[in-house]
Amino acid sequence: IVSSGVNSEWLCGLLAWTRQTLPTLSCNDMESAKNQIRKMKEFDAAHDWYRIVTNPWEARDAMYRGQLAVILGIEVSNIFPSSDGDWRKQLDDLYDMGVRQVYLSHESNNRFGGTAYHHTEELALPNRLTAWFSQEVVYATEGTGRNAVGLSRDGRNLIREMMRRNMLIDVDHLSWRA
């Protein structure tokens, strides 16, 4: 299976505002995802039937031994933010943590590309607000409700770097154009 560190900064912010989350938990996409990855590793260390794998050979060995082969992934919108430095270094850090699968986008566009818009206006709002407050993110529509934003140059380079590392590229939330 793929077990992803998943976060929604917008939803987390709303839950924090209504005091429905622990005040010690970060709503930052990458901090939250990395914290979840650390917890998955703790779970792995505590349970013999669950085994985090980083390549096909480890996966085959785990399955042969009757263990659940688990690939670590990341599913967030604000992946590799500029404020955290070079995205290649951030990718290396995730790779070193054992992450082998990455969604290029999740709920809103980012500097790597466009995301598929939700089909209701309320769920499209985070995408519009993200673009409004960010110089790196664009909001565009083709008039069909589809996102006109495709992959950016950084997005194409990120895909090449992930392929070079033999990582899984999840396209589930990408726009049609991306």
Side-chain angles (χ1 to χ4, degrees), residues 36-46 50 52 72 96-98:
Q36 292 172 58
I37 296 295
R38 285 189 286 277
K39 294 294 183 184
M40 287 180 232
K41 288 179 157 188
E42 289 174 15
F43 190 87
D44 179 29
Y50 179 98
I52 294 172
L72 296 178
D96 291 345
M97 289 180 75

Side-chain angles (χ1 to χ4, degrees), residues 85-130:
D86 181 56
W87 63 262
R88 287 172 187 84
K89 170 72 170 103
Q90 294 179 68
L91 180 63
D92 287 339
D93 292 345
L94 281 184
Y95 190 88
D96 291 345
M97 289 180 75
V99 172
R100 295 297 184 269
Q101 183 260 6
V102 173
Y103 282 76
L104 270 62
S105 69
H106 183 224
E107 295 174 319
S108 60
N109 296 345
N110 59 37
R111 67 180 175 149
F112 300 102
T115 190
Y117 290 151
H118 291 282
H119 297 289
T120 65
E121 194 60 31
E122 295 81 18
L123 294 175
L125 182 62
N127 223 320
R128 286 196 171 102
L129 291 174
T130 299

Side-chain angles (χ1 to χ4, degrees), residues 4-176:
S4 295
V6 181
N7 193 55
S8 167
E9 289 181 349
W10 294 99
L11 179 58
C12 181
L14 177 64
L15 292 173
W17 183 69
T18 60
R19 302 188 199 293
Q20 295 182 47
T21 62
L22 295 174
T24 56
L25 295 178
S26 172
C27 286
N28 176 282
D29 273 344
M30 292 305 292
E31 286 179 35
S32 176
K34 287 178 182 178
N35 184 50
Q36 292 172 58
I37 296 295
R38 285 189 286 277
K39 294 294 183 184
M40 287 180 232
K41 288 179 157 188
E42 289 174 15
F43 190 87
D44 179 29
H47 297 87
D48 291 337
W49 60 269
Y50 179 98
R51 182 167 159 204
I52 294 172
V53 298
T54 58
N55 61 55
W57 300 276
E58 289 178 3
R60 285 186 191 104
D61 183 62
M63 290 182 282
Y64 177 76
R65 296 171 186 272
Q67 297 170 311
L68 179 64
V70 179
I71 299 167
L72 296 178
I74 298 287
E75 183 178 357
V76 299
S77 292
N78 194 19
I79 191 156
F80 309 138
S82 297
S83 59
D84 290 352
D86 181 56
W87 63 262
R88 287 172 187 84
K89 170 72 170 103
Q90 294 179 68
L91 180 63
D92 287 339
D93 292 345
L94 281 184
Y95 190 88
D96 291 345
M97 289 180 75
V99 172
R100 295 297 184 269
Q101 183 260 6
V102 173
Y103 282 76
L104 270 62
S105 69
H106 183 224
E107 295 174 319
S108 60
N109 296 345
N110 59 37
R111 67 180 175 149
F112 300 102
T115 190
Y117 290 151
H118 291 282
H119 297 289
T120 65
E121 194 60 31
E122 295 81 18
L123 294 175
L125 182 62
N127 223 320
R128 286 196 171 102
L129 291 174
T130 299
W132 182 300
F133 290 105
S134 173
Q135 295 178 356
E136 296 179 330
V137 176
V138 176
Y139 180 87
T141 183
E142 296 174 334
T144 62
R146 287 190 177 163
N147 190 344
V149 176
L151 287 177
S152 67
R153 184 171 28 108
D154 280 344
R156 290 186 295 277
N157 289 333
L158 174 56
I159 287 174
R160 284 186 197 99
E161 286 298 312
M162 289 175 63
M163 289 170 58
R164 190 175 67 75
R165 291 169 174 81
N166 295 314
M167 295 178 76
L168 300 172
I169 303 162
D170 201 310
V171 299
D172 187 40
H173 291 283
L174 286 175
S175 68
W176 281 97

